[in-house]
């Protein structure tokens, strides 16, 4: 479970103090929200990705990390933060689609997202 305080949640996430068994999708979104409120996307992305990779290793599932999903969700959270949400509760209320793991399927086919390349590197959405 993440601490209620945003700075403490970030510190626990980046410092490896999170129990992977209790780290849910909502927690991923919340940490992204907290980090992106404090720093630019291009600073957040490498730190966020490294912490997720470490969390996957800690869970005994190093292959669970997925680069395209990670960067895609970070980009969506960053874009939505442009609306100026000041609290996570309001952000969550205003962006319920981000709490659905399947939201990226608006831009990606299941085949593209499940590819080995998408796990390894960020893939742009398919042209439509």
């Amino acid at each position: 479970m993440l601490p209620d305080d945003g700075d403490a949640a970030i510190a626990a996430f980046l410092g490896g103090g999170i129990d992977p068994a209790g780290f849910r999708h909502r927690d991923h979104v919340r940490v992204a929200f907290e980090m992106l409120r404090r720093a630019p996307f291009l600073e957040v992305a490498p730190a966020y990705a490294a912490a997720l990779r470490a969390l996957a290793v800690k869970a005994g599932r190093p292959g669970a990390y997925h680069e395209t999903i990670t960067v895609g969700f970070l980009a969506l959270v960053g874009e939505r933060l442009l609306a100026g949400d000041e609290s996570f509760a309001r952000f969550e209320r205003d962006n319920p689609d981000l709490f659905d793991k399947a939201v990226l399927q608006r831009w990606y086919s299941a085949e593209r997202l499940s590819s080995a390349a998408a796990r390894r590197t960020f893939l742009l959405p398919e042209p439509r």
Side-chain angles (χ1 to χ4, degrees), residues 71-101:
V71 175
F73 265 102
L74 274 175
L76 284 173
V77 171
E79 181 179 323
R80 303 289 177 84
L81 277 170
L82 294 174
D85 286 316
E86 294 186 20
S87 74
F88 184 69
R90 182 173 175 185
F91 183 82
E92 186 173 20
R93 183 196 72 213
D94 293 347
N95 299 284
D97 60 323
L98 295 183
F99 297 86
D100 176 358
K101 289 182 183 183

Side-chain angles (χ1 to χ4, degrees), residues 34-89:
E34 297 293 353
M35 291 177 74
L36 288 165
R37 283 181 61 217
R38 291 163 174 79
F41 180 85
L42 290 177
E43 289 178 23
V44 169
Y48 185 86
L52 277 184
R53 280 189 204 95
L55 195 61
V57 168
K58 186 175 181 180
R61 300 180 53 225
Y65 176 78
H66 194 295
E67 186 87 0
T68 300
I69 290 174
T70 298
V71 175
F73 265 102
L74 274 175
L76 284 173
V77 171
E79 181 179 323
R80 303 289 177 84
L81 277 170
L82 294 174
D85 286 316
E86 294 186 20
S87 74
F88 184 69

Side-chain angles (χ1 to χ4, degrees), residues 69 73 76 100-111 113-114 126 128:
I69 290 174
F73 265 102
L76 284 173
D100 176 358
K101 289 182 183 183
V103 71
L104 291 178
Q105 290 177 1
R106 291 182 187 172
W107 299 277
Y108 293 90
S109 68
E111 295 78 23
L113 270 183
S114 65
E126 296 134 311
R128 304 236 175 196

Side-chain angles (χ1 to χ4, degrees), residues 7-24:
D7 291 326
I10 292 169
F13 177 69
L14 294 178
I18 300 293
D19 177 5
F23 195 69
R24 304 288 181 232

